[in-house]
């Protein structure tokens, strides 16, 4: 295992029972993501992209194999330990923003920091910095319903990195946006990842966006393969 690897998958298997059938989604998946590296995950719908991201981000347990985050074996940890690692070391961005509708953009970005234990003044300062970096600072006090789709997704990205995670996992983060807005949001996401030195795995159908990352991988018969 490379010392500089933030995420390592070793022989990871993930299976689901569907009636009398067993669906094998991940079948001995092997992967390493280095510090500061960005990797595009490009695969057709149903290939297992979301399952891979959920397993790598400790939202799902592997049925076999192991997931290492920052050198720590995490696949068999208890729920409390897995939750703490996700809160501190992993950021998630989804196709839908999942912002809390009753809170402003600023409050949504503050929330994970407050859970992490920061003082409100500290959380607000960092949240404003992130929103400004995402070029949405002027909309900080607007609720999600008052924001455009691209603005909502930029707030979601700022929230995902609010606790300075080691790893960012994004599942079709621009999939709900028109091409022009998608490109603008991806520009902001890429700049933030590069600036902060994050390691990122981003699932996308957009080959133009994928080509801008350090390398591309796909899923073939439940295994991760270079593209």
């Amino acid at each position: 295992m490379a010392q500089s690897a933030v995420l390592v998958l070793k022989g990871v298997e993930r299976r689901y029972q569907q009636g009398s059938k067993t669906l094998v989604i991940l079948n001995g998946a092997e992967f390493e993501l280095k510090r500061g590296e960005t990797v595009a995950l490009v695969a057709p719908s149903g290939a297992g992209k979301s399952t891979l991201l959920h397993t790598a981000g400790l939202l799902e347990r592997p049925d076999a194999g192991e997931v290492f985050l920052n050198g720590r074996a995490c696949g068999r940890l208890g729920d409390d330990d897995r939750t703490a690692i996700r809160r501190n070391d992993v950021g998630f961005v989804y196709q839908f923003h999942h912002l809390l509708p009753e809170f402003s953009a600023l409050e949504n970005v503050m929330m994970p920091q407050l859970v992490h234990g920061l003082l409100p003044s500290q959380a607000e300062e960092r949240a404003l910095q992130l929103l400004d970096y995402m070029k949405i600072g002027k909309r900080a006090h607007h609720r999600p319903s008052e924001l455009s789709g691209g603005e909502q997704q930029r707030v979601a990205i700022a929230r995902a990195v609010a606790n300075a995670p080691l790893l960012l996992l994004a599942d079709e983060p621009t999939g709900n946006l028109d091409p022009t807005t998608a490109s603008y949001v991806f520009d902001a996401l890429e700049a933030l990842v590069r600036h902060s030195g994050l390691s990122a795995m981003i699932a996308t159908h957009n080959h133009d966006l994928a080509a801008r990352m350090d390398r591309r991988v796909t899923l073939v018969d439940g295994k991760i393969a270079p593209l």
Side-chain angles (χ1 to χ4, degrees):
M1 189 192 314
Q3 291 297 315
S4 60
V6 167
L7 170 67
V8 177
L9 306 182
K10 289 284 189 182
V12 169
E13 298 182 13
R14 193 74 181 93
R15 301 180 293 271
Y16 300 98
Q17 202 67 30
Q18 190 174 69
S20 60
K21 295 183 179 180
T22 300
L23 300 179
V24 179
I25 307 300
L26 300 178
N27 186 20
E30 302 271 340
F31 180 71
E32 288 194 5
L33 180 65
K34 298 176 182 177
R35 293 187 186 278
E37 184 182 30
T38 60
V39 172
L41 175 59
V42 183
S45 296
K49 295 190 302 296
S50 294
T51 297
L52 174 58
L53 293 174
H54 289 172
T55 305
L58 308 185
L59 289 169
E60 298 184 22
R61 294 181 185 276
D63 294 300
E66 187 55 277
V67 178
F68 296 88
L69 282 176
N70 204 27
R72 183 181 183 184
C74 298
R76 303 292 178 266
L77 293 176
D79 289 342
D80 289 347
D81 286 336
R82 291 162 62 85
T83 298
I85 293 171
R86 286 197 306 269
R87 183 174 62 240
N88 297 332
D89 296 334
V90 184
F92 291 92
V93 181
Y94 298 98
Q95 187 170 346
F96 184 72
H97 58 79
H98 295 296
L99 298 173
L100 298 172
E102 66 271 29
F103 295 106
S104 68
L106 176 64
E107 290 166 335
N108 267 278
V109 181
M110 288 176 63
M111 199 69 64
Q113 300 178 76
L114 296 174
V115 173
H116 191 63
L118 264 68
L119 296 173
S121 58
Q122 296 172 316
E124 180 176 359
E125 181 180 5
R126 176 161 171 78
L128 286 171
Q129 289 174 347
L130 286 168
L131 291 172
D132 282 340
Y133 194 87
M134 298 299 290
K135 299 181 180 179
I136 197 174
K138 293 181 179 179
R139 308 283 280 168
H141 296 287
H142 289 71
R143 292 187 178 185
S145 61
E146 300 171 312
L147 303 175
S148 69
E151 289 170 338
Q152 291 168 344
Q153 202 64 337
R154 279 181 279 159
V155 175
I157 293 167
R159 181 182 61 183
V161 301
N163 282 338
L166 297 170
L167 173 66
L168 179 68
L169 300 171
D171 194 355
E172 297 287 353
T174 60
N176 278 338
L177 306 175
D178 65 82
T180 300
T181 305
S183 180
Y184 186 81
V185 169
F186 193 85
D187 286 345
L189 173 60
E190 184 182 31
L192 184 60
V193 168
R194 302 290 187 189
H195 175 76
S196 61
L198 271 169
S199 301
M201 176 182 273
I202 302 173
T204 180
H205 282 107
N206 190 317
H207 287 265
D208 291 334
L209 299 182
R212 293 161 55 175
M213 291 181 241
D214 296 326
R215 58 187 171 104
R216 291 169 290 169
V217 298
T218 190
L219 282 164
V220 180
D221 297 328
K223 292 180 169 59
I224 301 170
L227 186 64

